[in-house]
Amino acid sequence: MTESILKVEDAVCAFGGLRAVDKCSFDIEAGTITGLIGPNGAGKSTMFNLITDMVPLQGGRIFFDGGRLDGIPPHSVARRGVARTFQIPGELGRMTVLENLAVVPEGQIGEAMFTSVFAPWLVRRQENRIREQAREVLGLLQLTHLEDELAANLSTGQKKLLEIGRALMASPKLVLLDEPAAGVNPTLMRNIAQTIRDLCDERGITWVIVEHDVPLIMEMCDRVIVMAEGKVIAHGTPEEVRNDARVLDAYLGGVAA
């Protein structure tokens, strides 16, 4: 059995009297693609916020890659290898697409005054390497032709893809994608889905994807988790979830029909 890279145990998060996440538990196996689906208000994005400590966990525990993840700040979560995107992209609008990617990697020696002044050739060497990495990512996302475009001028769908690119520039072990297909051309999104599969299989990156395009999730994912009213109501292969009566009642009835 594949080892779990992410383990959520009895997670709780409430806003006032509403429990957005209510004793939610699940495991994510390393090197897999998992879909997280459910109706609006099911607690999916809140779960991403709990994993990345954007919202504090009020009960339960979260483990990642053998250690506790809850209770540490978001930047420390990112340094451990967890990257995420958001429903609403947060691009750096006055920077180019290429620059948006190039600023992501940590430990850039050009940020130190001493190196910038006394060893500029080392700075240029590293910057060139990072730019090549960024161009490789743009190629994966079919955005190469836009590398010199200001990020503010991109369409909503292109900004979504740029968010995925920035996540990849962090060299993550786990990527959390929040509604990546929203605003993206369906044909392009299916090409991106194949890229995600290739990165999973070839580089071992684990993916968890919140998405309302249920057919896309069923097509691209190894496992599917279904949430409703803050709880996990089903967890299994796409085929198992598709035929689960609880899922049909809570969410998929119209789609299945």
Side-chain angles (χ1 to χ4, degrees), residues 41-227:
K44 307 181 297 297
S45 293
T46 301
M47 178 55 66
F48 274 13
N49 288 336
L50 293 176
I51 293 169
T52 55
D53 202 56
M54 302 295 290
V55 172
L57 191 70
Q58 296 170 358
R61 301 183 298 176
I62 299 175
F63 297 89
F64 173 72
D65 203 23
R68 285 285 291 269
L69 198 63
D70 54 285
I72 66 173
H75 66 271
S76 296
V77 174
R79 284 175 180 164
R80 290 197 183 183
V82 180
R84 71 163 295 182
T85 66
F86 294 85
Q87 291 180 15
I88 301 175
E91 75 285 349
L92 302 172
R94 296 185 179 181
M95 300 176 71
T96 68
V97 168
L98 188 67
E99 289 168 343
N100 265 261
L101 300 187
V103 299
V104 173
E106 280 196 288
Q108 298 195 39
I109 58 177
E111 297 173 356
M113 183 181 296
F114 180 89
T115 314
S116 297
V117 174
F118 295 103
W121 63 91
L122 292 178
V123 175
R124 287 195 297 272
R125 183 186 303 171
Q126 186 186 54
E127 286 180 346
N128 289 336
R129 186 167 63 248
I130 290 173
R131 284 175 178 269
E132 287 307 307
Q133 179 188 356
R135 289 190 174 99
E136 178 186 356
V137 170
L138 290 177
L140 292 173
L141 300 174
Q142 302 180 39
L143 292 176
T144 301
H145 61 294
L146 295 171
E147 71 170 58
D148 295 322
E149 185 67 62
L150 291 179
N153 296 335
L154 300 182
S155 68
T156 300
Q158 290 165 342
K159 290 177 181 180
K160 286 275 189 176
L161 298 181
L162 181 60
E163 284 256 302
I164 297 175
R166 293 200 299 181
L168 292 175
M169 287 295 294
S171 301
K173 300 176 184 177
L174 169 68
V175 181
L176 309 175
L177 298 183
D178 200 345
E179 298 191 21
V184 179
N185 176 281
T187 300
L188 174 58
M189 189 58 220
R190 275 162 175 75
N191 291 338
I192 301 304
Q194 184 57 55
T195 297
I196 289 172
R197 168 52 63 189
D198 293 341
L199 290 169
C200 178
D201 294 342
E202 296 170 11
R203 302 187 188 181
I205 299 175
T206 305
W207 302 78
V208 182
I209 306 172
V210 167
E211 183 52 62
H212 287 294
D213 186 340
V214 176
L216 176 66
I217 287 293
M218 294 298 180
E219 178 183 328
M220 70 182 295
C221 293
D222 304 301
R223 309 282 291 180
V224 177
I225 299 169
V226 186
M227 291 185 66

